[in-house]
Amino acid sequence: MDSTNPDNKNLLKSAQTYFREGQWDKAFAEYQKILALDPADTNILVMVGDIYAKKRSHQLAYETYLKAASDFLAQEHTDKTIPVYKKIIALDVEKLPVDVRMNMSFFQNYVRIDEILRQENIEAVMEPLGRLLKLRPNDPYAQAVLKDLGVKIEQNTPSQRFQALGDAFLKNGILDMAQTIYKKIADMDPNNVPAQSNLAKIYRKQGFDSAAKKVYLHLAELALVENDLNGALDFAQKAVELKSVEAGYILGLIEFRNKKWPEAKIEFENLLRIKVSHLGALIHLGKTLTFLDQPEKASENFQKALKVDKDNLPAQEAWVEFCFQGNRKEAALPHLTTLLDKAVADNHPDRTAQFAKMMVQLKPDQVSPRIQLVQALQTLSDFEGASEACRDLALIYEQQAQWNEAAQALEKALKLNPANAEVLKKALADLMQKAPSQALTQTPPQAPASTNVIEVKIEVPDLDSEDVVRFAEITAEEEIEPQPPLKPALSHSVEAQMTTASLCVQQGLLKAAIDIYQQILKTVPDSAEVRKKLNEVNAIYLKQWMQSKDNSPS
């Protein structure tokens, strides 16, 4: 009612006076006038119902109260309906038709639900609410309560209570609310198996088979990650019941992990008849055929996978492993290079160590993968392995007559594994005997001991050596080097080389770093970043060379 309207105010005052005096007809007439001015005034409608009740017109009172309650629900004033339902319950039931009497239990249930909600016990309200919805799925009061509950749960419920609420809704058959809560749990924690499992069950009950199928596949994948093959099988079979094609891949993986090669082969081949370019199936069929001693067919499937996506890392890794198992290691080189560069660029020490060891087998004379191996093993705290890798690196440097670098590598090996001191010191002494005179300089002042630092010794070249970059040339290059407005993106391969060069600088292998930067410039000659790094290392190298000249006997 518009309380600012003088007519309404006067009519209301008059109606209330007549009501107090028990003049029901006059009060009724005044209320009707107000409703004529404002038909949407639900509070006045309740008062009209009160007049009918006073006059013992129970049927009219019931109908008026019921309309008022419906209007309150439509206006989203659920709390205002309960006083009205209490008025309905207070009517003389004997004076009402049989069909109306049958509805009284619903109104009593509304009041009971409200009492529990006022105690803020959401879990306890599930039972009467669920019972009500089973009898009347579209009950307007129940639907309004669910809507209010959704807002309350969203705004005020701690996340740890969601699981209990979802379970309570599901137990009492309130599927829409259960679905909403389980979806929220799944969004917050995609690895929550109970919530995801219940969500799939709800989707099936609601007839959303496609949604249920996706959830079951996700659950099967989670189980595989945990190596729970029985759980993966259970979820995959549920997906198969919903006509999932992808579930065949999961079943194949389960057979593969159980080392049931013939069964795995059947599952992967069945899937590939439908999805001919399924990468995972092609890769695992290739692996399965390898175990079945069918290398030609295995090779064919690996090549199909690489044809589908030549940059796919799992496909490249599977091909490399296959090549190393047979006599075709050279065929693995391009993909092994990519895998190693990617592992270095992404800072994955375990994969870097794995692929660097393979590269060392394939290209034993290359320095770069050995340096990458040393750094990866250090990061993994495998100091004994890193020491052994340093010792192997020293042998390569020795074969290449890079005496100073060989000595640094042996010193690094000694620091990484002091327990092997006798052997390494002997190797270092043997190296010094083999090296030509003045190929190794005197050791500069010692830095604090560290397992991650190699003392730098500088080789003394003659003045015509190509390794010496004069200071004037360096500064001139820096002055005229143009700086592009945007730094160009570097490939994974170049990033890996840059990382390796930085490691060389950190460990005092300046000549190796210079060589790597020069190789990179052949690939990206316009890179200002690479040229700047090269100039910085050249400057350090020149400074140390000049210091060694100053300290040498005249």
Side-chain angles (χ1 to χ4, degrees), residues 1-20 23-39 41 44 47-48 51:
M1 185 185 76
D2 185 2
S3 58
T4 61
N5 187 323
D7 292 339
N8 279 359
K9 289 180 69 174
N10 292 332
L11 286 170
L12 179 61
K13 186 176 180 181
S14 175
Q16 289 172 338
T17 300
Y18 286 136
F19 189 90
R20 283 194 300 270
Q23 300 185 55
W24 314 123
D25 291 339
K26 290 183 178 181
F28 180 83
E30 297 299 291
Y31 283 133
Q32 288 295 334
K33 290 176 185 177
I34 296 172
L35 285 173
L37 294 171
D38 185 5
D41 193 331
I44 298 299
M47 295 174 188
V48 171
I51 291 174

Side-chain angles (χ1 to χ4, degrees), residues 482-553:
Q483 297 297 321
L486 293 174
K487 178 179 173 181
L490 300 175
S491 68
H492 285 309
S493 177
V494 171
E495 287 181 359
Q497 287 179 289
M498 292 280 285
T499 302
T500 304
S502 297
L503 295 176
C504 290
V505 173
Q506 291 170 14
Q507 299 184 9
L509 306 175
L510 300 183
K511 282 188 65 180
I514 291 169
D515 289 342
I516 293 171
Y517 284 131
Q518 288 173 341
Q519 289 171 16
I520 297 173
L521 282 174
K522 291 177 183 177
T523 306
V524 282
D526 297 328
S527 173
E529 179 186 0
V530 177
R531 194 170 295 280
K532 180 182 177 183
K533 295 282 187 183
L534 175 60
N535 288 340
E536 289 173 353
V537 179
N538 273 325
I540 297 170
Y541 188 89
L542 178 62
K543 181 179 178 181
Q544 293 186 350
W545 176 78
M546 293 177 68
Q547 287 175 345
S548 68
K549 290 289 288 181
D550 292 341
N551 295 333
S552 62

Side-chain angles (χ1 to χ4, degrees), residues 456-474:
V456 178
K457 302 180 183 64
I458 305 302
E459 182 178 345
V460 183
D462 59 42
L463 292 177
D464 294 329
S465 170
E466 293 180 359
D467 291 329
V468 178
V469 180
R470 292 172 176 76
F471 183 72
E473 293 172 357
I474 295 172

Side-chain angles (χ1 to χ4, degrees), residues 7 59 112 155 163 165 225 251-252 291 320 324 366 376 449 458 501 547:
D7 292 339
Q59 177 69 25
R112 173 64 181 147
Q155 293 177 347
Q163 185 79 44
L165 287 174
V225 169
L251 294 174
F291 286 114
V320 167
F324 266 72
Q366 284 190 2
I458 305 302
Q547 287 175 345

Side-chain angles (χ1 to χ4, degrees), residues 435-447:
S437 59
Q438 295 198 5
L440 293 170
T441 66
Q442 296 297 317
T443 304
Q446 297 291 311

Side-chain angles (χ1 to χ4, degrees), residues 286-443:
K287 292 181 177 182
T288 301
L289 290 167
T290 303
F291 286 114
L292 289 171
D293 198 21
Q294 299 179 40
E296 294 307 318
K297 288 186 177 180
S299 175
E300 182 182 332
N301 279 278
F302 289 133
Q303 288 304 311
K304 282 181 182 177
L306 289 168
K307 189 174 181 181
V308 172
D309 184 358
K310 63 182 177 62
D311 297 321
N312 182 268
L313 294 180
Q316 294 189 66
E317 188 171 348
W319 173 248
V320 167
E321 289 175 355
F322 173 74
C323 291
F324 266 72
Q325 288 169 7
N327 293 319
R328 53 183 89 195
K329 291 182 181 179
E330 286 295 330
L333 182 58
H335 299 294
L336 179 57
T337 302
T338 299
L339 290 168
L340 178 55
D341 290 346
K342 177 69 173 167
V344 172
D346 291 347
N347 196 26
H348 287 161
D350 50 346
R351 290 175 64 79
T352 299
Q354 175 191 351
F355 298 131
K357 287 176 182 177
M358 297 173 83
M359 187 64 82
V360 166
Q361 288 184 49
L362 196 56
K363 296 292 179 182
D365 294 335
Q366 284 190 2
V367 170
S368 179
R370 292 182 181 275
I371 293 174
Q372 291 165 336
L373 176 59
V374 170
Q375 184 65 23
L377 293 174
Q378 278 186 262
T379 304
L380 294 168
S381 299
D382 181 5
F383 299 117
E384 186 175 346
S387 175
E388 189 63 29
C390 277
R391 187 176 177 187
D392 293 340
L393 176 61
L395 292 174
I396 300 301
Y397 278 134
E398 183 181 336
Q399 291 168 10
Q400 297 174 357
Q402 297 189 48
W403 308 104
N404 196 55
E405 285 77 4
Q408 290 176 31
L410 284 173
E411 288 188 2
K412 178 71 173 178
L414 181 59
K415 285 179 178 285
L416 287 167
N417 187 18
N420 204 21
E422 275 192 41
V423 174
L424 291 171
K425 284 181 180 178
K426 184 177 184 303
L428 188 57
D430 292 343
L431 178 72
M432 293 196 172
Q433 288 182 352
K434 294 178 188 176
S437 59
Q438 295 198 5
L440 293 170
T441 66
Q442 296 297 317
T443 304

